[in-house]
Amino acid sequence: MKSVFLVHSLRKGGAERLLLELASNLSCTSVTVISWLDNNEFLEEEYQRVEVLSLIKGKDYKWPFSLFTSSKKLRHHLDLLSPDKVIVFSHSVFWLAYLSKYKTKYIYSIQGFSQLSISRGYKKLLYRMIDILALRNLKSSILVPTKELYEESKKYFAINGKDIKTIPNGVEVGPLGSKDLEREEIAITMLGTVSEHKGQHLALDIIKRLKEKTPNIILNIIGEGSMKEDLINLIELNNLTKNIFLLGRREDAFELMNQSDIFLHLSRSEGMPLSVIEAMMCSLPIVAFNVSGVRDVVKDNGFLSEYGNTENIAANIYELIKDEELRKDMSRLSREIATKNFGKKKMIASYEAYLQRSIESNN
């Protein structure tokens, strides 16, 4: 079996990392990744054997005009590769696949609600019409990681759901060292793209509240993004330079989480948050907003609050700081839930079985 994974770009994000994990580990199919833009921020050794083709340089990208010239380049690559299936991992390249007019089996992997148009007004109606047209023209099935995305996809595309398959995401964090028991600070970690959507700026109010009761509290923010400079300024303005640290991208992110006490997640919404699952694999209790995706993985292993309620988030963290036994119980539950439901081997096996069945159903 030959497959093409089609993605907008290989920026350092959860959906892109999922794509590369699958491309690196699936044994039932050979995989070629076609990235619309030529950037690749994943330099890890385990991804270097994945074949990646790009259609245009990032500087030449102009939405939506690049759709038409790039669709011809995509068709050329697909003609040469002759894949048994194309799995699409981002919204804009779903249109690209539609315009290429290449006939094969298509699967649309919907990893977040942003892939179901979140534009407003006439643009939302127009985008949805094109999405539905593309889905039907490509005769594409759909893959989602959560029940919420299953229901939203069914409603968005006005389909009955028989062609939607749910496969939870899975991660592997590798061997971790023992915790430093002599550390005096209470360490909280956030992991993800630094952006308004991910909510790192909301952590300032939380840490200011906690600092009054727990002066030795620190927050490590791992990741890069568009809000980094603004966040640096806000940290300085709020006199939190000794409490909040922007660490950028780190190869030792899992080890840093393993040395933490609590994982904080403040996203507005998620498909299925890999960073939360990774934190659970590192045996961390989770404190987060009760939003789509997060509530699919966090059960009795953490606290969920109404979106935007930073006062409640701070109170939840303080409860975990005061109650060491509660923190240990939630840490244990995090690891148990993650290993049982969200392991990488389980995810790979589910994808293998699904892809094999989809080929056999066409024979």
Side-chain angles (χ1 to χ4, degrees):
M1 188 195 312
K2 292 190 293 183
S3 300
V4 163
F5 287 3
L6 188 58
V7 68
H8 180 270
S9 61
L10 288 173
R11 65 177 184 84
K12 201 84 169 183
E16 292 78 12
R17 183 146 50 89
L18 172 71
L19 173 153
L20 289 171
E21 285 287 346
L22 291 169
S24 302
N25 290 281
L26 289 172
S27 60
C28 68
T29 180
S30 62
V31 176
T32 300
V33 175
I34 298 182
S35 175
W36 191 351
L37 307 188
D38 66 343
N39 70 321
N40 187 349
E41 298 178 0
F42 289 89
L43 304 177
E44 291 89 339
E45 185 178 346
E46 64 263 35
Y47 302 141
Q48 295 309 303
R49 66 178 185 271
V50 178
E51 182 183 7
V52 178
L53 305 174
S54 58
L55 301 180
I56 62 174
K57 294 186 179 298
K59 64 181 179 63
D60 298 327
Y61 177 72
K62 292 181 176 61
W63 174 263
F65 306 105
S66 298
L67 272 168
F68 303 99
T69 54
S70 298
S71 65
K72 294 177 182 178
K73 293 180 180 179
L74 174 61
R75 176 59 187 258
H76 172 73
H77 284 303
L78 293 176
D79 283 336
L80 290 175
L81 293 167
S82 189
D84 299 293
K85 63 176 71 276
V86 174
I87 304 180
V88 180
F89 281 86
S90 45
H91 178 256
S92 54
V93 290
F94 191 51
W95 293 9
L96 200 64
Y98 169 50
L99 290 172
S100 77
K101 298 181 180 179
Y102 184 81
K103 300 298 181 183
T104 190
K105 174 77 175 179
Y106 285 88
I107 300 170
Y108 187 19
S109 176
I110 299 177
Q111 293 297 316
F113 290 89
S114 61
Q115 288 175 254
L116 306 174
S117 179
I118 56 175
S119 301
R120 298 183 181 276
Y122 76 92
K123 190 179 285 188
K124 179 172 183 175
L125 292 173
L126 177 62
Y127 280 16
R128 186 183 177 210
M129 287 173 59
I130 298 172
D131 286 342
I132 292 172
L133 182 64
L135 188 83
R136 292 179 179 176
N137 182 272
L138 296 172
K139 298 178 181 177
S140 178
S141 52
I142 295 173
L143 260 176
V144 294
T146 68
K147 182 66 174 176
E148 280 192 72
L149 270 172
Y150 172 92
E151 294 296 341
E152 195 63 29
S153 298
K154 187 168 68 170
K155 182 169 62 176
Y156 182 80
F157 287 105
I159 54 180
N160 62 19
K162 66 180 179 64
D163 290 325
I164 306 177
K165 173 68 175 176
T166 302
I167 299 179
N169 293 336
V171 303
E172 184 177 274
V173 300
L176 297 168
S178 57
K179 286 188 181 291
D180 180 5
L181 300 179
E182 296 182 3
R183 174 171 46 83
E184 294 182 357
E185 301 92 353
I186 297 295
I188 303 171
T189 297
M190 297 183 76
L191 171 65
T193 303
V194 180
S195 65
E196 185 176 358
H197 183 85
K198 294 295 184 181
Q200 288 90 349
H201 61 291
L202 300 175
L204 273 71
D205 179 62
I206 295 165
I207 299 302
K208 281 177 72 175
R209 292 173 184 273
L210 290 168
K211 182 183 173 184
E212 296 175 4
K213 302 175 182 177
T214 314
N216 62 335
I217 195 165
I218 63 170
L219 170 63
N220 291 318
I221 298 177
I222 304 171
E224 296 282 350
S226 58
M227 275 197 71
K228 185 175 180 180
E229 290 302 317
D230 291 337
L231 206 54
I232 290 171
N233 294 331
L234 286 170
I235 290 169
E236 291 177 352
L237 284 171
N238 286 275
N239 298 314
L240 292 170
T241 54
K242 294 182 179 179
N243 301 93
I244 301 179
F245 302 93
L246 299 178
L247 304 183
R249 292 198 181 108
R250 295 286 294 255
E251 295 300 317
D252 60 345
F254 298 147
E255 189 57 45
L256 285 168
M257 283 199 287
N258 184 53
Q259 293 300 325
S260 299
D261 300 293
I262 297 164
F263 188 77
L264 177 62
H265 193 75
L266 301 175
S267 279
R268 188 179 298 140
S269 68
E270 293 281 357
M272 175 169 275
L274 293 181
S275 62
V276 173
I277 301 172
E278 287 161 349
M280 289 165 60
M281 284 288 186
C282 294
S283 301
L284 289 182
I286 311 299
V287 179
F289 291 133
N290 185 14
V291 297
S292 57
V294 177
R295 55 177 164 256
D296 288 288
V297 297
V298 178
K299 303 302 179 183
D300 296 327
N301 59 307
F303 292 110
L304 299 180
S305 301
E306 180 184 0
Y307 180 79
N309 191 339
T310 54
E311 182 179 357
N312 202 46
I313 291 280
N316 291 154
I317 292 174
Y318 189 59
E319 184 174 351
L320 284 169
I321 292 171
K322 289 191 304 178
D323 193 335
E324 187 176 355
E325 286 304 310
L326 176 64
R327 196 164 72 242
K328 286 181 178 179
D329 286 344
M330 286 190 172
S331 296
R332 175 182 50 79
L333 280 170
S334 274
R335 178 74 180 180
E336 288 178 3
I337 293 168
T339 52
K340 180 181 178 181
N341 300 305
F342 307 116
K344 186 172 83 170
K345 288 183 180 179
K346 182 175 182 178
M347 177 187 71
I348 296 296
S350 297
Y351 269 87
E352 295 263 9
Y354 172 72
L355 293 175
Q356 197 63 50
R357 284 196 303 271
S358 67
I359 286 293
E360 292 170 355
S361 66
N362 290 341
N363 296 334

